[in-house]
Amino acid sequence: MKLELVKGDITKVDADAIVNAANSSLLGGGGVDGAIHRAAGPELLAECRDLRGCPAGQAKLTKGYRLPARHVIHTVGPVWRGGNASEEAVLARCYKSVFALVEQHGLRSVAFPSISTGAYGFPIEKAAPIALREIHAALERLPRLEKVTVVLFSPGDLEVYQRALAAAPASNPGGNV
Ligand code: APR
């Protein structure tokens, strides 16, 4: 089962990397960003300081420190501004940027939160199909990638992703949930 949708707390996930929905400063924040920094400890912020920020749509890799995950891949999603400011393209680029680092570092498992659908206001019904399309493409393309998990923080969010997956069976190689 290469793609899994679960409800839970991404800071508890033991994967080669978990993805952080950061802001362009990479200096922490609320939401999943705050949770990851709290769980990883102060060394994560110290390493992030040296990265000198990250533009929206791009991604940077750090160690995981006190997290069970070996690495954190920080990506900066688009702020939703109504849908006419290339938000969908920038969100897709976040996933592509994360998978470029997964490939570069030969990572076998990665877990995502629902990028941009919290404080950044991106409608989750629009974000889920974009996320699943990019994940499906990566699972097809990267032979070493064994597992991608999307960790949803609420039952409602999980349901949106499950419905999106059911609506696009092609994005679910080898069965799921
Ligand atoms: N595990 C998994 N998902 C979580 C967790 C967690 N521990 N905490 C929150 N989430 C979920 C939220 O419920 C939401 O569905 O992560 C998703 C993304 O929400 P945010 O964390 O608000 O991220 P985003 O919408 O991308 O906004 C990023 O918020 O925290 C700041 O510094 C961050 O400025 C940046 C902005």
Side-chain angles (χ1 to χ4, degrees):
M1 162 166 70
K2 297 176 81 172
L3 165 61
E4 202 172 15
L5 305 178
V6 298
K7 181 187 116 30
D9 175 353
I10 199 167
T11 67
K12 306 274 190 281
V13 172
D14 177 2
D16 284 347
I18 62 168
V19 175
N20 181 21
N23 60 62
S24 55
S25 75
L26 293 189
L27 298 180
V32 70
D33 195 4
I36 288 175
H37 276 275
R38 273 193 302 281
E43 296 149 301
L44 177 60
L45 183 58
E47 185 176 358
C48 284
R49 277 213 180 83
D50 293 342
L51 294 177
R52 313 194 61 69
C54 180
Q58 296 186 27
K60 294 193 176 177
L61 178 122
T62 65
K63 296 187 196 72
Y65 300 104
R66 296 177 195 165
L67 288 162
R70 264 68 67 204
H71 297 281
V72 181
I73 298 179
H74 307 260
T75 190
V76 180
V79 175
W80 181 257
R81 302 186 194 288
N84 299 316
S86 310
E87 295 97 323
E88 301 201 358
V90 174
L91 184 63
R93 209 171 322 130
C94 286
Y95 287 88
K96 292 178 197 290
S97 299
V98 167
F99 284 120
L101 289 170
V102 166
E103 182 174 20
Q104 185 185 330
H105 293 271
L107 305 183
R108 289 188 300 273
S109 58
V110 60
F112 287 88
S114 181
I115 300 166
S116 276
T117 64
Y120 279 4
F122 200 115
I124 191 166
E125 293 77 9
K126 293 180 184 295
I130 295 169
L132 293 173
R133 185 190 69 217
E134 294 305 326
I135 291 168
H136 168 56
L139 284 168
E140 292 276 294
R141 197 168 53 82
L142 303 180
R144 290 190 58 177
L145 181 56
E146 294 163 5
K147 177 128 189 201
V148 177
T149 307
V150 183
V151 183
L152 287 313
F153 207 46
S154 73
D157 286 0
L158 174 60
E159 238 176 81
V160 172
Y161 273 75
Q162 286 171 329
R163 276 203 305 273
L165 186 61
S171 69
N172 180 15
N176 162 68
V177 279

